[in-house]
Amino acid sequence: MNRRYLDEVLESTPRIRFDNRKVYGVGINDSQFQVTMWCNNQKVQHSAYATWKGILQRCYSNKFQKNYPTYAGCSICEEWKLFSNFLKWWKTNFKEGYQIDKDITSPGNKVYSPELCVFVPPDLNGFVTDCEARGNIYAIGVTYYKPRGKFRARIWDDGKLITLGLYDTEKEAHESWYERKISIAHKFKPICDDINESFFNCLLMKIESMRVEL
């Protein structure tokens, strides 16, 4: 069933039950309409509520952060702790099929807020996420290839993990990753320009922030 239609149905259904329990110990659901319903034996949520609850999970669930440690230290701004405030922003900024991002416009940002968050397409969000280090002891994009005693540079592009080459030093491998990352970023320029005129520069700054001086 169409998500937009489900959202409209939910918004037209007055909320029956109110309680004081906070979502993930922080968020307050002050909605006047039902944010969840059963449809074809499946529980569905209003798209804005699902996004808001997902943010709270990333910021305040220890279990989630254990699996995704890059979210450790993240938080949501005071304004958005109230669902109705987030809903107003969501209605103005949401794009069907897009995902919310908090730090492309401000590399290193850990606070979800209306000033810095933006909706981006999944492939762009995945491209940015690939910048993050995930337990690797070497610089981003670099692993040690023991059979050859070399440093290997690899990068994700169009869903494929591509080997860029073997290098004598970690620095050379990391620079190879960085140069290819910048090259791939230009494929996203039309999408970035559609979001806003300065967004592509923000994307380049985000990649630059992941560059390591070795």
Side-chain angles (χ1 to χ4, degrees), residues 148-184:
R148 296 281 299 275
K150 300 274 190 177
F151 291 92
R152 178 172 57 186
R154 297 191 297 180
I155 195 168
W156 285 95
D157 187 12
D158 289 332
K160 298 178 181 178
L161 185 59
I162 300 172
T163 297
L164 304 177
L166 297 175
Y167 301 87
D168 292 328
T169 66
E170 180 183 359
K171 179 178 180 179
E172 291 174 307
H174 178 61
E175 285 300 310
S176 176
W177 170 87
Y178 170 78
E179 291 171 6
R180 180 63 68 89
K181 196 74 176 177
I182 291 293
S183 176
I184 296 174

Side-chain angles (χ1 to χ4, degrees), residues 139-140 170-171 174-175 178 208-214:
I140 297 173
E170 180 183 359
K171 179 178 180 179
H174 178 61
E175 285 300 310
Y178 170 78
E208 181 66 32
S209 73
M210 307 309 296
R211 193 179 189 183
V212 180
E213 291 295 334
L214 297 170

